[in-house]
Amino acid sequence: VHTGDIGEFDEDNYLKITDRKKDIIVSLGGDNIAPSKIENLLTLSPEIEQACVFGEQKNYIAALLVLNSESKSSDEDIQRYIDEVNKDLTQPEKIKKFIFIDEPFSIENNLMTPTMKVRRHEVQKKYQNQIDQIENDEKELKKKIIKFREDELHHKDIAYDEGATKKGIYFFMDKIIKAGSKIAIKIS
């Protein structure tokens, strides 16, 4: 059977999938993304020595970056460069997050093959905590957006109408998310 996967047998003789023969990231939406294309674009900058991107079964692409040892670039400089790179990428390929790592990928630390290709599964194993932090940051951001929208809908946009009569109290909502029109709610 040819699945396009690379694997090894463990001590109990079970097959363990460790990598893909054809190095493709399949996003959460089912898009096939070639990581080498993105990594090559990133390393065109003299400031970025090496890059490894991730996004398997995620709705974003994240990059681990090794900066040139003489780099004086700030986070903002790198973000501007990534924004430029993103202009040449399709929506699913765009880099949403990045983090810096200090140790370059090498044959000695088993993060590169003898043919100088990044061993994505080894990089992922070594930097799993940082990769998990990217995902946790993404989840926290979503929670904050949802909380903001709930607060905006239930609290900020309600103004008490001082001219309310005996028949009821009227509240005016200046904005409803996605509705954008002014409505009145009658409470009897």
Side-chain angles (χ1 to χ4, degrees):
V1 177
H2 299 280
T3 64
D5 294 312
I6 297 172
E8 59 188 29
F9 290 98
D10 65 13
E11 61 272 1
D12 297 324
N13 213 23
Y14 285 100
L15 178 63
K16 178 182 171 188
I17 305 298
T18 58
D19 206 356
R20 294 189 49 79
K21 191 170 186 177
K22 187 177 180 185
D23 200 12
I24 295 291
I25 294 171
V26 180
S27 73
L28 191 60
D31 297 295
N32 291 330
I33 300 165
S36 58
K37 171 188 172 185
I38 302 168
E39 292 163 355
N40 290 336
L41 286 171
L42 287 169
T43 56
L44 288 175
S45 166
E47 302 299 320
I48 300 174
E49 190 72 32
Q50 295 172 315
C52 187
V53 297
F54 296 92
E56 187 71 29
Q57 291 302 305
K58 306 287 182 221
N59 60 356
Y60 59 87
I61 295 293
L64 295 176
L65 304 175
V66 179
L67 295 183
N68 182 315
S69 60
E70 298 172 10
S71 176
K72 303 278 190 256
S73 295
S74 67
D75 289 5
E76 292 80 22
D77 294 334
I78 299 298
Q79 182 62 62
R80 278 192 289 279
Y81 179 70
I82 288 176
D83 291 343
E84 285 300 312
V85 167
N86 279 343
K87 289 178 183 177
D88 295 328
L89 298 173
T90 64
Q91 190 60 39
E93 294 173 322
K94 291 185 187 305
I95 302 152
K96 304 287 192 289
K97 308 272 184 183
F98 65 92
I99 56 175
F100 302 116
I101 54 177
D102 296 326
E103 183 182 12
F105 310 140
S106 68
I107 297 168
E108 292 77 25
N109 64 14
N110 201 34
L111 299 180
M112 292 195 96
T113 67
T115 58
M116 302 308 287
K117 292 184 180 92
V118 175
R119 292 181 190 237
R120 191 169 315 287
H121 63 282
E122 292 295 330
V123 172
Q124 186 167 0
K125 201 180 334 179
K126 181 169 184 152
Y127 293 102
Q128 192 62 52
N129 290 340
Q130 290 89 333
I131 294 167
D132 289 345
Q133 188 58 48
I134 290 172
E135 187 169 342
N136 291 339
D137 290 348
E138 185 75 13
K139 287 178 184 176
E140 282 301 313
L141 179 62
K142 285 181 183 177
K143 285 181 188 176
K144 287 178 183 177
I145 290 170
I146 290 168
K147 177 80 172 114
F148 174 77
R149 287 182 177 166
E150 288 173 350
D151 290 348
E152 187 176 68
L153 183 62
H154 296 297
H155 302 293
K156 281 176 51 178
D157 296 328
I158 297 174
Y160 178 68
D161 179 5
E162 294 290 335
T165 65
K166 278 185 176 181
K167 294 181 181 178
I169 300 172
Y170 293 86
F171 289 87
F172 294 93
M173 187 170 288
D174 295 321
K175 180 173 73 174
I176 294 179
I177 296 174
K178 295 185 181 175
S181 59
K182 193 170 188 173
I183 64 164
I185 301 171
K186 182 176 180 181
I187 301 174
S188 301

